[in-house]
């Protein structure tokens, strides 16, 4: 099993550009999440999804959009990139009833906006 | 509000024991997690507590007191490879709801 796969691993964007961070999991997990991690600030929730066709905002959703058309994929879209979006982005998933195992994380996408 | 506090940094020497504390105030509680994160890598699961008491797993143990909103992660026989950030996270209610993370404690182990 590949687990949670994130692409790309690194990206440099110019201010105002757009991009999609890809996240795919092959564990048939219903729950998927996007977090961003800034130095010294911990993981902040951007968006999450409890199943295909269902998404909801987290703590820091502004400037981002998501979709969940399949159980496997949960892409994160950045429109009009800004320097404040420079961060490391982690996608994670969790199974229904899998509370005691927490998340499976992807390896992360390191994004720099210049 | 939701708040999770843990020390920013700790240092220790090889072979020692270190305790990393975490206090939380959340709207609900459905379990507390500890994750380890090495620099430049994703967090990896260490432990889960939902009932009061101590859970032991090899060199790592985790304790929970729900009445005090308090947990600690105990690392024994420290090794250089234990140098990492340790993240405390709380599930505020039923499974599926996102975890709330503390800012993490960076542990440096020296020889």
């Amino acid at each position: 099993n590949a687990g949670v796969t994130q692409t790309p691993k690194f990206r440099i964007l110019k201010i105002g550009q757009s991009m999609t961070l890809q996240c795919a999991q092959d564990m048939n997990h219903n729950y998927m999440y996007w977090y961003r991690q800034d130095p010294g600030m911990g993981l902040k929730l951007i968006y999450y999804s409890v199943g295909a066709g269902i998404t909801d905002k987290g703590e820091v959703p502004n400037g981002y959009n998501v979709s969940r058309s399949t159980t496997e994929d949960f892409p994160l879209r950045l429109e009009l990139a800004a320097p404040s979006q420079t961060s490391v982005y982690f996608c994670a998933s969790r199974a229904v009833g899998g509370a005691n195992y927490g998340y499976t994380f992807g390896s992360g996408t390191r994004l720099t906006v210049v | 509000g939701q708040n999770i506090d843990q020390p920013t940094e700790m240092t220790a020497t090889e072979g020692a024991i270190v305790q990393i504390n975490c206090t939380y105030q959340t709207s609900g509680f459905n379990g507390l997690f500890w994750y380890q994160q090495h620099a430049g890598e994703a967090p990896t699961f260490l432990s889960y507590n939902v009932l009061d008491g101590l859970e032991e797993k090899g060199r790592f143990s985790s304790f929970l007191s729900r009445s005090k909103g308090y947990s600690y992660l105990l690392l024994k026989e420290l090794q250089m490879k234990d140098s990492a950030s340790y993240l405390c996270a709380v599930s505020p209610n039923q499974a599926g709801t996102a975890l709330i993370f503390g800012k993490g404690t960076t542990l440096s182990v020296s020889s």
Side-chain angles (χ1 to χ4, degrees):
Chain A
N1 278 350
V4 178
T5 302
Q6 284 185 243
T7 56
K9 293 191 184 301
F10 302 93
R11 182 73 185 267
I12 299 174
L13 276 183
K14 293 185 178 179
I15 295 172
Q17 287 185 321
S18 302
M19 76 165 294
T20 299
L21 282 66
Q22 301 291 343
C23 176
Q25 52 91 9
D26 61 359
M27 299 170 286
N28 203 33
H29 285 176
N30 279 62
Y31 304 138
M32 295 188 75
Y33 312 85
W34 274 106
Y35 285 85
R36 60 177 287 174
Q37 187 175 36
D38 301 307
M41 295 303 295
L43 287 155
K44 300 289 187 184
L45 181 68
I46 306 171
Y47 271 95
Y48 68 100
S49 168
V50 298
I54 306 169
T55 63
D56 211 342
K57 294 178 180 178
E59 184 181 357
V60 290
N62 291 344
Y64 306 95
N65 277 300
V66 293
S67 59
R68 185 93 182 273
S69 56
T70 66
T71 299
E72 293 77 21
D73 299 299
F74 191 39
L76 177 72
R77 178 81 176 162
L78 278 72
E79 304 282 1
L80 298 175
S84 61
Q85 293 178 305
T86 293
S87 189
V88 180
Y89 292 84
F90 287 103
C91 178
S93 71
R94 185 159 96 172
V96 174
N100 57 332
Y101 292 100
Y103 293 168
T104 300
F105 281 93
S107 58
T109 295
R110 189 173 298 273
L111 176 67
T112 302
V113 182
V114 296
Chain B
Q2 319 271 44
N3 194 47
I4 299 177
D5 285 319
Q6 47 182 133
T8 303
E9 294 180 333
M10 299 183 72
T11 59
T13 55
E14 268 188 306
I17 299 173
V18 70
Q19 177 175 312
I20 302 174
N21 296 325
C22 171
T23 58
Y24 64 90
Q25 294 174 304
T26 55
S27 55
F29 183 81
N30 192 44
L32 186 143
F33 297 81
W34 284 96
Y35 286 84
Q36 181 189 59
Q37 186 178 26
H38 285 102
E41 298 182 7
T44 56
F45 171 80
L46 284 179
S47 69
Y48 169 74
N49 295 70
V50 68
L51 299 176
D52 291 350
L54 188 68
E55 295 280 344
E56 297 186 83
K57 191 185 296 185
R59 294 189 300 114
F60 293 4
S61 302
S62 57
F63 172 83
L64 175 67
S65 168
R66 288 172 297 171
S67 63
K68 295 182 179 179
Y70 168 70
S71 172
Y72 67 73
L73 180 70
L74 192 70
L75 293 76
K76 304 175 186 177
E77 301 170 13
L78 281 173
Q79 303 174 8
M80 297 293 284
K81 68 178 182 180
D82 298 328
S83 293
S85 285
Y86 292 86
L87 311 179
C88 176
V90 170
S91 179
N93 43 48
Q94 63 189 0
T97 307
L99 298 184
I100 302 167
F101 285 84
K103 295 181 179 180
T105 299
T106 300
L107 174 66
S108 299
V109 180
S110 59
S111 57

Short mmCIF file of all heavy atoms in Angstrom, two decimals, chain A residues 39-82:
data_model
loop_
_atom_site.label_atom_id
_atom_site.label_comp_id
_atom_site.label_asym_id
_atom_site.label_seq_id
_atom_site.Cartn_x
_atom_site.Cartn_y
_atom_site.Cartn_z
N PRO A 39 6.56 27.39 10.81
CA PRO A 39 7.53 27.22 11.90
C PRO A 39 7.00 27.76 13.23
O PRO A 39 6.56 28.90 13.33
CB PRO A 39 8.73 28.03 11.41
CG PRO A 39 8.61 28.02 9.93
CD PRO A 39 7.13 28.07 9.64
N GLY A 40 7.05 26.93 14.24
CA GLY A 40 6.64 27.34 15.58
C GLY A 40 5.15 27.51 15.77
O GLY A 40 4.71 27.95 16.83
N MET A 41 4.37 27.15 14.76
CA MET A 41 2.93 27.42 14.85
C MET A 41 2.09 26.16 14.87
O MET A 41 0.88 26.21 14.91
CB MET A 41 2.49 28.31 13.68
CG MET A 41 3.10 29.69 13.71
SD MET A 41 2.73 30.55 15.24
CE MET A 41 0.95 30.72 15.11
N GLY A 42 2.69 25.01 14.77
CA GLY A 42 1.91 23.78 14.79
C GLY A 42 1.13 23.58 13.50
O GLY A 42 1.29 24.31 12.52
N LEU A 43 0.28 22.60 13.50
CA LEU A 43 -0.53 22.25 12.34
C LEU A 43 -1.89 22.94 12.43
O LEU A 43 -2.60 22.80 13.44
CB LEU A 43 -0.73 20.73 12.27
CG LEU A 43 0.48 19.92 11.86
CD1 LEU A 43 0.39 18.51 12.40
CD2 LEU A 43 0.61 19.90 10.35
N LYS A 44 -2.23 23.66 11.37
CA LYS A 44 -3.51 24.36 11.32
C LYS A 44 -4.39 23.73 10.24
O LYS A 44 -3.95 23.54 9.11
CB LYS A 44 -3.31 25.85 11.00
CG LYS A 44 -2.47 26.60 12.01
CD LYS A 44 -3.21 26.80 13.32
CE LYS A 44 -2.42 27.70 14.26
NZ LYS A 44 -3.08 27.83 15.58
N LEU A 45 -5.64 23.45 10.58
CA LEU A 45 -6.55 22.78 9.66
C LEU A 45 -7.08 23.76 8.63
O LEU A 45 -7.61 24.82 8.98
CB LEU A 45 -7.71 22.17 10.44
CG LEU A 45 -8.75 21.41 9.63
CD1 LEU A 45 -8.13 20.13 9.05
CD2 LEU A 45 -9.97 21.08 10.49
N ILE A 46 -6.98 23.39 7.35
CA ILE A 46 -7.46 24.24 6.27
C ILE A 46 -8.87 23.79 5.85
O ILE A 46 -9.82 24.58 5.88
CB ILE A 46 -6.53 24.17 5.04
CG1 ILE A 46 -5.08 24.50 5.44
CG2 ILE A 46 -7.01 25.13 3.94
CD1 ILE A 46 -4.08 24.25 4.33
N TYR A 47 -9.01 22.55 5.44
CA TYR A 47 -10.28 21.95 5.04
C TYR A 47 -10.25 20.48 5.42
O TYR A 47 -9.19 19.89 5.56
CB TYR A 47 -10.48 22.05 3.52
CG TYR A 47 -11.15 23.30 3.02
CD1 TYR A 47 -10.39 24.38 2.59
CD2 TYR A 47 -12.54 23.39 2.97
CE1 TYR A 47 -11.01 25.53 2.12
CE2 TYR A 47 -13.16 24.54 2.50
CZ TYR A 47 -12.38 25.61 2.07
OH TYR A 47 -12.99 26.74 1.61
N TYR A 48 -11.46 19.91 5.54
CA TYR A 48 -11.54 18.48 5.74
C TYR A 48 -12.77 17.93 5.03
O TYR A 48 -13.65 18.67 4.60
CB TYR A 48 -11.54 18.13 7.23
CG TYR A 48 -12.77 18.55 8.01
CD1 TYR A 48 -13.78 17.63 8.30
CD2 TYR A 48 -12.88 19.84 8.49
CE1 TYR A 48 -14.89 18.01 9.04
CE2 TYR A 48 -13.99 20.23 9.22
CZ TYR A 48 -14.99 19.31 9.50
OH TYR A 48 -16.08 19.69 10.23
N SER A 49 -12.78 16.60 4.93
CA SER A 49 -13.88 15.93 4.25
C SER A 49 -14.19 14.62 4.97
O SER A 49 -13.28 13.87 5.32
CB SER A 49 -13.49 15.64 2.79
OG SER A 49 -14.41 14.77 2.18
N VAL A 50 -15.47 14.36 5.17
CA VAL A 50 -15.86 13.11 5.84
C VAL A 50 -16.34 12.06 4.84
O VAL A 50 -16.74 10.96 5.26
CB VAL A 50 -16.92 13.35 6.93
CG1 VAL A 50 -16.37 14.28 8.01
CG2 VAL A 50 -18.20 13.92 6.33
N GLY A 51 -16.29 12.39 3.57
CA GLY A 51 -16.66 11.42 2.55
C GLY A 51 -16.78 12.09 1.20
O GLY A 51 -16.79 13.33 1.11
N ALA A 52 -16.86 11.29 0.15
CA ALA A 52 -16.97 11.84 -1.20
C ALA A 52 -18.17 12.78 -1.29
O ALA A 52 -19.26 12.47 -0.80
CB ALA A 52 -17.10 10.70 -2.21
N GLY A 53 -17.93 13.95 -1.87
CA GLY A 53 -18.97 14.95 -2.06
C GLY A 53 -19.22 15.86 -0.87
O GLY A 53 -20.05 16.77 -0.94
N ILE A 54 -18.49 15.65 0.23
CA ILE A 54 -18.70 16.43 1.46
C ILE A 54 -17.39 17.07 1.89
O ILE A 54 -16.39 16.36 2.11
CB ILE A 54 -19.21 15.53 2.61
CG1 ILE A 54 -20.46 14.77 2.18
CG2 ILE A 54 -19.49 16.37 3.85
CD1 ILE A 54 -20.86 13.69 3.17
N THR A 55 -17.38 18.39 1.96
CA THR A 55 -16.20 19.09 2.46
C THR A 55 -16.63 20.17 3.44
O THR A 55 -17.78 20.62 3.42
CB THR A 55 -15.40 19.75 1.32
OG1 THR A 55 -16.21 20.74 0.68
CG2 THR A 55 -14.93 18.73 0.29
N ASP A 56 -15.70 20.58 4.29
CA ASP A 56 -16.03 21.61 5.27
C ASP A 56 -14.77 22.40 5.61
O ASP A 56 -13.65 21.88 5.50
CB ASP A 56 -16.61 21.00 6.54
CG ASP A 56 -17.61 21.95 7.20
OD1 ASP A 56 -17.59 23.16 6.89
OD2 ASP A 56 -18.40 21.47 8.03
N LYS A 57 -14.98 23.66 6.00
CA LYS A 57 -13.87 24.54 6.31
C LYS A 57 -13.27 24.21 7.67
O LYS A 57 -13.96 23.82 8.60
CB LYS A 57 -14.34 26.00 6.31
CG LYS A 57 -14.79 26.49 4.95
CD LYS A 57 -15.28 27.93 5.04
CE LYS A 57 -15.74 28.42 3.68
NZ LYS A 57 -16.27 29.81 3.74
N GLY A 58 -11.96 24.43 7.75
CA GLY A 58 -11.27 24.32 9.01
C GLY A 58 -10.98 25.69 9.60
O GLY A 58 -11.75 26.63 9.39
N GLU A 59 -9.87 25.80 10.26
CA GLU A 59 -9.52 27.02 10.97
C GLU A 59 -9.02 28.13 10.05
O GLU A 59 -9.26 29.32 10.28
CB GLU A 59 -8.44 26.69 12.01
CG GLU A 59 -8.01 27.83 12.91
CD GLU A 59 -6.92 27.42 13.89
OE1 GLU A 59 -6.54 26.22 13.90
OE2 GLU A 59 -6.45 28.29 14.63
N VAL A 60 -8.31 27.75 8.96
CA VAL A 60 -7.67 28.75 8.08
C VAL A 60 -7.99 28.49 6.62
O VAL A 60 -7.10 28.24 5.80
CB VAL A 60 -6.14 28.79 8.33
CG1 VAL A 60 -5.81 29.38 9.67
CG2 VAL A 60 -5.53 27.39 8.19
N PRO A 61 -9.27 28.58 6.18
CA PRO A 61 -9.64 28.21 4.81
C PRO A 61 -9.43 29.30 3.76
O PRO A 61 -9.46 29.00 2.56
CB PRO A 61 -11.13 27.90 4.95
CG PRO A 61 -11.59 28.84 6.03
CD PRO A 61 -10.43 28.93 7.00
N ASN A 62 -9.25 30.55 4.19
CA ASN A 62 -9.21 31.65 3.21
C ASN A 62 -8.05 31.51 2.24
O ASN A 62 -6.91 31.30 2.63
CB ASN A 62 -9.12 32.99 3.95
CG ASN A 62 -10.39 33.32 4.70
OD1 ASN A 62 -11.44 32.72 4.46
ND2 ASN A 62 -10.30 34.25 5.63
N GLY A 63 -8.38 31.64 0.95
CA GLY A 63 -7.37 31.52 -0.10
C GLY A 63 -7.23 30.12 -0.66
O GLY A 63 -6.41 29.90 -1.55
N TYR A 64 -8.05 29.20 -0.15
CA TYR A 64 -7.96 27.80 -0.57
C TYR A 64 -9.35 27.27 -0.96
O TYR A 64 -10.36 27.78 -0.48
CB TYR A 64 -7.43 26.92 0.55
CG TYR A 64 -6.12 27.36 1.14
CD1 TYR A 64 -6.11 28.15 2.30
CD2 TYR A 64 -4.91 27.00 0.58
CE1 TYR A 64 -4.92 28.57 2.86
CE2 TYR A 64 -3.70 27.40 1.15
CZ TYR A 64 -3.73 28.19 2.28
OH TYR A 64 -2.54 28.60 2.84
N ASN A 65 -9.35 26.25 -1.80
CA ASN A 65 -10.57 25.52 -2.11
C ASN A 65 -10.25 24.04 -2.23
O ASN A 65 -9.13 23.66 -2.55
CB ASN A 65 -11.19 26.01 -3.43
CG ASN A 65 -12.03 27.25 -3.23
OD1 ASN A 65 -13.00 27.24 -2.49
ND2 ASN A 65 -11.63 28.32 -3.88
N VAL A 66 -11.26 23.21 -1.97
CA VAL A 66 -11.07 21.77 -2.09
C VAL A 66 -12.26 21.16 -2.81
O VAL A 66 -13.31 21.79 -2.96
CB VAL A 66 -10.93 21.08 -0.71
CG1 VAL A 66 -9.64 21.49 -0.01
CG2 VAL A 66 -12.15 21.37 0.16
N SER A 67 -12.07 19.93 -3.23
CA SER A 67 -13.16 19.13 -3.78
C SER A 67 -12.91 17.68 -3.37
O SER A 67 -11.77 17.30 -3.08
CB SER A 67 -13.23 19.27 -5.30
OG SER A 67 -12.01 18.83 -5.88
N ARG A 68 -13.95 16.89 -3.34
CA ARG A 68 -13.82 15.47 -2.99
C ARG A 68 -14.81 14.69 -3.86
O ARG A 68 -15.88 14.31 -3.44
CB ARG A 68 -14.12 15.25 -1.50
CG ARG A 68 -13.88 13.81 -1.05
CD ARG A 68 -12.52 13.60 -0.51
NE ARG A 68 -12.27 12.22 -0.12
CZ ARG A 68 -12.55 11.70 1.08
NH1 ARG A 68 -13.12 12.45 2.01
NH2 ARG A 68 -12.27 10.45 1.33
N SER A 69 -14.40 14.47 -5.10
CA SER A 69 -15.29 13.77 -6.04
C SER A 69 -15.19 12.25 -5.88
O SER A 69 -16.12 11.54 -6.26
CB SER A 69 -14.97 14.17 -7.48
OG SER A 69 -13.60 13.92 -7.76
N THR A 70 -14.09 11.76 -5.33
CA THR A 70 -13.94 10.33 -5.08
C THR A 70 -13.44 10.12 -3.66
O THR A 70 -12.93 11.04 -3.03
CB THR A 70 -12.93 9.69 -6.05
OG1 THR A 70 -11.62 10.22 -5.77
CG2 THR A 70 -13.29 9.96 -7.50
N THR A 71 -13.54 8.90 -3.16
CA THR A 71 -13.02 8.59 -1.83
C THR A 71 -11.50 8.75 -1.80
O THR A 71 -10.93 9.15 -0.79
CB THR A 71 -13.39 7.15 -1.44
OG1 THR A 71 -14.80 7.02 -1.40
CG2 THR A 71 -12.81 6.78 -0.08
N GLU A 72 -10.84 8.46 -2.92
CA GLU A 72 -9.38 8.41 -2.93
C GLU A 72 -8.71 9.78 -2.98
O GLU A 72 -7.63 9.96 -2.43
CB GLU A 72 -8.91 7.60 -4.15
CG GLU A 72 -9.25 6.13 -4.12
CD GLU A 72 -10.70 5.86 -4.45
OE1 GLU A 72 -11.35 6.72 -5.09
OE2 GLU A 72 -11.20 4.77 -4.06
N ASP A 73 -9.31 10.75 -3.64
CA ASP A 73 -8.61 12.00 -3.96
C ASP A 73 -9.18 13.21 -3.23
O ASP A 73 -10.41 13.37 -3.13
CB ASP A 73 -8.66 12.26 -5.47
CG ASP A 73 -7.98 11.16 -6.26
OD1 ASP A 73 -6.77 10.98 -6.05
OD2 ASP A 73 -8.66 10.49 -7.06
N PHE A 74 -8.29 14.07 -2.77
CA PHE A 74 -8.71 15.28 -2.04
C PHE A 74 -7.75 16.41 -2.40
O PHE A 74 -6.88 16.77 -1.63
CB PHE A 74 -8.71 14.99 -0.54
CG PHE A 74 -9.35 16.04 0.31
CD1 PHE A 74 -10.51 16.69 -0.09
CD2 PHE A 74 -8.81 16.38 1.55
CE1 PHE A 74 -11.12 17.65 0.70
CE2 PHE A 74 -9.41 17.33 2.36
CZ PHE A 74 -10.57 17.97 1.93
N PRO A 75 -7.90 17.00 -3.58
CA PRO A 75 -6.98 18.06 -4.00
C PRO A 75 -7.27 19.39 -3.31
O PRO A 75 -8.42 19.71 -3.01
CB PRO A 75 -7.23 18.16 -5.51
CG PRO A 75 -8.64 17.66 -5.69
CD PRO A 75 -8.85 16.62 -4.63
N LEU A 76 -6.20 20.15 -3.10
CA LEU A 76 -6.30 21.48 -2.50
C LEU A 76 -5.88 22.51 -3.54
O LEU A 76 -4.78 22.43 -4.10
CB LEU A 76 -5.37 21.58 -1.28
CG LEU A 76 -5.30 22.93 -0.57
CD1 LEU A 76 -6.60 23.19 0.19
CD2 LEU A 76 -4.12 22.98 0.39
N ARG A 77 -6.75 23.48 -3.78
CA ARG A 77 -6.50 24.48 -4.83
C ARG A 77 -6.14 25.81 -4.19
O ARG A 77 -6.83 26.27 -3.26
CB ARG A 77 -7.78 24.63 -5.67
CG ARG A 77 -7.70 25.68 -6.76
CD ARG A 77 -6.99 25.15 -7.98
NE ARG A 77 -6.99 26.15 -9.07
CZ ARG A 77 -6.17 26.07 -10.10
NH1 ARG A 77 -5.28 25.09 -10.21
NH2 ARG A 77 -6.21 27.00 -11.05
N LEU A 78 -5.05 26.40 -4.65
CA LEU A 78 -4.67 27.74 -4.25
C LEU A 78 -4.93 28.68 -5.42
O LEU A 78 -4.41 28.48 -6.52
CB LEU A 78 -3.19 27.83 -3.89
CG LEU A 78 -2.74 27.40 -2.52
CD1 LEU A 78 -2.80 25.87 -2.40
CD2 LEU A 78 -1.33 27.89 -2.24
N GLU A 79 -5.76 29.65 -5.21
CA GLU A 79 -6.02 30.68 -6.23
C GLU A 79 -5.32 31.96 -5.81
O GLU A 79 -5.36 32.32 -4.64
CB GLU A 79 -7.53 30.95 -6.33
CG GLU A 79 -8.37 29.73 -6.61
CD GLU A 79 -8.34 29.29 -8.07
OE1 GLU A 79 -7.63 29.93 -8.87
OE2 GLU A 79 -9.03 28.31 -8.39
N LEU A 80 -4.68 32.63 -6.75
CA LEU A 80 -4.04 33.92 -6.47
C LEU A 80 -3.09 33.80 -5.28
O LEU A 80 -3.32 34.37 -4.21
CB LEU A 80 -5.09 35.00 -6.19
CG LEU A 80 -6.04 35.31 -7.35
CD1 LEU A 80 -7.11 36.29 -6.92
CD2 LEU A 80 -5.25 35.84 -8.55
N ALA A 81 -2.03 33.03 -5.47
CA ALA A 81 -1.10 32.75 -4.38
C ALA A 81 -0.52 34.04 -3.78
O ALA A 81 -0.22 35.01 -4.50
CB ALA A 81 0.04 31.87 -4.89
N ALA A 82 -0.36 34.01 -2.45
CA ALA A 82 0.19 35.14 -1.71
C ALA A 82 1.36 34.65 -0.85
O ALA A 82 1.41 33.47 -0.49
CB ALA A 82 -0.89 35.75 -0.83
#
